[in-house]
Amino acid sequence: MQKAWKKGLLACLTLGLTVPAPLLTWAADKEIVILHTNDMHCGVNDNLGLSTVAKMKKDALQKTPYVALVDAGDAVQGAPIGKLSEGEAVVKMMNTVGYDFAIPGNHEFDYGMERFWQLVKQQNCGYYSANFTDLRTKKLALPPYKMMQFGDTKVALVGATTPGTLISSRPAYFQDGQGNYIYGFNEDETGRKLYRALQKSINAARENGADYVFIVGHLGLNGSIEYWNSESVAANTRGVDAIIDGHSHERIQGKYVKNYVGKDVLIAQTGTKLKTVGELVIGTDGKITSRLLKQDIGDDIKSQKVISREIAKYEHLLSQPVGEAVIQLRSNDPNTGERLVRNNECSLANFVTDAFKTVLQCDVAMVNGGSIRNEIKQGVITYNDLLEAFPFGNMCAVVEVSGQQILEALEMGASHYPEEFGGFFQVAGLQYTINKSIPSTVQLDEKGNFSRVGGIYRVSDVRIGGQPLDITKKYTVGGITYVLKDGGDGIIMFKGSKLLKDGEISDVDAIIEYLQKHLNGKIGDKYANPYGDGRITIK
């Protein structure tokens, strides 16, 4: 009977017909449990911690032999242990915990393409993506999906990586020496290339006998580019039962979206840094349920030993003190806990931009909010504290640009407001206003890069050094090469500008120099207001 159901389903998919309700589920003899994580960002000991994830998997295996553990990307970057080991330490831990499937998020590429391919070889479960393409061969760079057998039931896990990776990781990593893209993610200005690429693998999995198809995607919802997000993927494909999502750091126990032929597709996401672990269960009645596991059930001893050993390798270096803060430097709202740095001014960002402006000796410092990843607490500041807040190992640069380029960059940074955007600009030596009642008219190219402002600017009242911005005047702008040189976050208006300083000092080293040489090692009340000092006005 099951074979007949599958044959009927394949015929429907091939002809583009709606799948009949009786063909949607097949009962397994025992429950199938899919545990999932996303956006770990090296938080191996944060919140629940990886050793608890390992115990969850072992406990699940005591109840059913059909268990898989999957990760939806951004695991190897985001904290010192990732940066100092270039991802290797986290991959070792994931291998110990026993991951069965993983996909590359945008930050899996942050150590460069050569290092990424090394991590692919080290990751025991492999990496999968149905839309990451080698443009030189016009073939997929990774396997598109993995078929998992649970008794008589087959579950296909299809990988999906946001096309926004081209701009949210360092664009140069996906280019050759002449700036031509040699890797892509099936990006366009409508999302259709992505939908087609994923549908091709979904159909292939069904044709190969998959009873269930789950997309494991680093796609996101709020703050993600709409036509590439998980909701749009669900609505523009068919044959998918659920999407295990990541990228937007949201906790979603189970959201349903109608697919292309009207069937419900479940979307789930666990937040970030192991605040929860997701659990999708295919019951013996064939129905899928979803929940977020929040209870700390203890550690798997074997996994915790490996984690502790890897952390200990870097402990002496990371514990070195570099200064002191008499107040806490904030990137989150102290009243709500909501993140500020990607859509509002905050004290940590003001400290950082002041550091860059002072050390780099430029007219203006502009820093993308997505480069700041943690707060700096009151008390002694260690090297580890700075690497927790600035984990990317960015190098600094100074460019000479026109006032018009600065205005366009600010407009691009404000284009998502009030939603978060990693390219939202924190500034020093500059003030500006965002009029939230004016819709953004920023237009992007097919890769998500800035193209032009098509209408009224929502950014106004720009002042540099207390004087109104002159769009024809040349200014010196300091920041990180990711934005000023490489066009990260789609901010390409600075690319090709005259480079006055290029890679002479890292972001963390510039911050240490500012702290020790210009603040005498102590961050004081100048940065006491968590909401900053009025550099960015929202009206």
Side-chain angles (χ1 to χ4, degrees):
M1 178 64 73
Q2 191 178 79
K3 290 182 180 178
W5 287 353
K6 291 180 183 179
K7 185 176 180 180
L9 172 61
L10 294 178
C12 290
L13 291 175
T14 301
L15 296 172
L17 302 177
T18 302
V19 180
L23 305 184
L24 296 179
T25 60
W26 294 274
D29 58 312
K30 293 184 174 68
E31 286 187 343
I32 299 170
V33 176
I34 310 293
L35 299 172
H36 58 96
T37 58
N38 61 270
D39 297 280
M40 196 187 317
H41 287 296
C42 303
V44 294
N45 270 339
D46 293 346
N47 300 302
L48 292 175
L50 263 185
S51 59
T52 296
V53 176
K55 191 171 190 306
M56 287 177 173
K57 182 179 181 183
K58 288 186 176 180
D59 287 356
L61 284 167
Q62 296 297 313
K63 300 175 182 178
T64 173
Y66 306 148
V67 178
L69 174 60
V70 309
D71 183 74
D74 280 8
V76 303
Q77 171 280 336
I81 194 167
K83 178 181 182 295
L84 295 175
S85 70
E86 293 189 307
E88 182 176 350
V90 179
V91 169
K92 284 183 179 179
M93 296 176 199
M94 293 176 73
N95 289 340
T96 299
V97 168
Y99 276 82
D100 300 290
F101 182 91
I103 67 164
N106 52 303
H107 290 302
E108 259 68 41
F109 298 97
D110 281 356
Y111 306 115
M113 196 57 69
E114 182 179 354
R115 184 57 172 169
F116 172 73
W117 292 119
Q118 292 171 353
L119 295 177
V120 169
K121 293 178 181 178
Q122 294 171 13
Q123 179 65 270
N124 287 350
C125 67
Y127 284 107
Y128 296 80
S129 180
N131 66 300
F132 175 38
T133 305
D134 187 325
L135 300 178
R136 296 164 296 186
T137 63
K138 297 183 180 179
K139 294 181 179 179
L140 290 176
L142 293 170
Y145 70 91
K146 181 177 184 177
M147 190 77 78
M148 302 198 71
Q149 185 86 39
F150 300 107
D152 292 333
T153 303
K154 290 183 177 181
V155 178
L157 302 174
V158 177
T161 305
T162 175
T165 297
L166 285 178
I167 59 172
S168 55
S169 189
R170 199 173 295 273
Y173 290 159
F174 307 101
Q175 300 168 348
D176 61 18
Q178 288 71 49
N180 302 306
Y181 280 94
I182 57 176
Y183 292 101
F185 294 86
N186 284 274
E187 65 282 348
D188 65 11
E189 299 174 25
T190 66
R192 290 174 184 169
K193 286 181 69 175
L194 175 64
Y195 311 148
R196 286 197 296 266
L198 298 181
Q199 189 66 62
K200 182 178 179 179
S201 292
I202 294 162
N203 290 350
R206 290 290 188 182
E207 289 165 5
N208 286 329
D211 300 304
Y212 297 87
V213 175
F214 293 167
I215 287 178
V216 182
H218 198 78
L219 300 168
L221 281 170
N222 290 328
S224 301
I225 294 175
E226 184 177 1
Y227 45 81
W228 291 334
N229 70 21
S230 55
E231 189 170 299
S232 294
V233 166
N236 288 278
T237 56
R238 61 184 186 272
V240 175
D241 297 288
I243 297 178
I244 294 171
D245 198 16
H247 191 44
S248 55
H249 296 196
E250 299 170 86
R251 279 181 274 184
I252 304 169
Q253 181 157 288
K255 175 178 182 176
Y256 288 91
V257 175
K258 295 292 184 184
N259 76 355
Y260 186 70
V261 292
K263 179 194 170 186
D264 281 337
V265 178
L266 184 150
I267 299 175
Q269 192 182 158
T270 69
T272 183
K273 288 194 178 278
L274 300 177
K275 290 179 180 177
T276 67
V277 173
E279 181 188 66
L280 292 184
V281 176
I282 304 173
T284 54
D285 59 358
K287 294 181 179 179
I288 301 171
T289 58
S290 173
R291 62 175 178 158
L292 297 179
L293 306 177
K294 305 174 185 179
Q295 184 178 358
D296 189 341
I297 60 172
D299 300 326
D300 173 63
I301 302 303
K302 177 185 175 183
S303 299
Q304 189 56 53
K305 284 182 178 179
V306 173
I307 292 168
S308 298
R309 184 171 67 244
E310 290 296 321
I311 291 173
K313 291 180 182 179
Y314 309 99
E315 194 166 9
H316 176 70
L317 172 65
L318 296 174
S319 63
Q320 297 296 312
V322 296
E324 180 185 0
V326 300
I327 45 85
Q328 181 164 338
L329 290 171
R330 303 278 187 174
S331 59
N332 299 327
D333 190 316
N335 295 313
T336 66
E338 295 295 319
R339 187 161 54 187
L340 291 170
V341 72
R342 296 186 181 212
N343 55 7
N344 281 282
E345 184 180 344
C346 60
S347 59
L348 176 55
N350 285 358
F351 165 73
V352 173
T353 51
D354 284 349
F356 288 173
K357 183 177 183 298
T358 301
V359 173
L360 299 175
Q361 298 179 321
C362 48
D363 297 325
V364 171
M366 300 176 67
V367 174
N368 59 311
S371 66
I372 301 172
R373 290 304 175 111
N374 206 359
E375 298 193 322
I376 294 178
K377 295 181 179 179
Q378 182 179 4
V380 174
I381 302 171
T382 65
Y383 186 49
N384 181 77
D385 294 328
L386 293 183
L387 289 179
E388 289 273 5
F390 311 98
F392 297 102
N394 284 308
M395 300 303 291
C396 294
V398 177
V399 293
E400 183 181 77
V401 301
S402 69
Q404 180 64 35
Q405 287 172 286
I406 291 174
L407 180 61
E408 289 176 351
L410 294 173
E411 187 71 14
M412 176 68 172
S415 61
H416 289 57
Y417 189 87
E419 291 186 359
E420 291 189 341
F421 177 39
F424 181 86
F425 274 113
Q426 304 289 343
V427 295
L430 183 153
Q431 299 84 40
Y432 70 101
T433 296
I434 301 172
N435 190 330
K436 63 184 179 183
S437 67
I438 298 175
S440 174
T441 60
V442 167
Q443 296 177 9
L444 307 178
D445 66 16
E446 65 176 12
K447 298 185 184 301
N449 294 312
F450 175 86
S451 177
R452 61 188 289 265
V453 179
I456 300 173
Y457 283 72
R458 62 193 333 210
V459 167
S460 63
D461 303 324
V462 182
R463 304 181 74 83
I464 293 179
Q467 299 299 313
L469 177 76
D470 183 343
I471 62 172
T472 65
K473 184 178 178 179
K474 294 292 185 181
Y475 299 91
T476 57
V477 177
I480 56 176
T481 56
Y482 170 75
V483 169
L484 300 182
K485 183 180 176 183
D486 298 329
D489 287 322
I491 302 163
I492 62 170
M493 62 287 298
F494 296 137
K495 289 188 70 174
S497 298
K498 184 178 180 181
L499 271 167
L500 304 178
K501 296 180 182 179
D502 181 17
E504 297 174 9
I505 191 170
S506 73
D507 53 0
V508 169
D509 286 339
I511 292 164
I512 291 174
E513 181 175 329
Y514 177 65
L515 173 58
Q516 295 181 343
K517 293 186 177 181
H518 297 274
L519 299 181
N520 297 316
K522 185 174 291 189
I523 301 171
D525 290 336
K526 177 181 179 181
Y527 301 102
N529 187 338
Y531 307 105
D533 54 22
R535 304 178 191 191
I536 304 171
T537 301
I538 311 291
K539 69 176 185 179

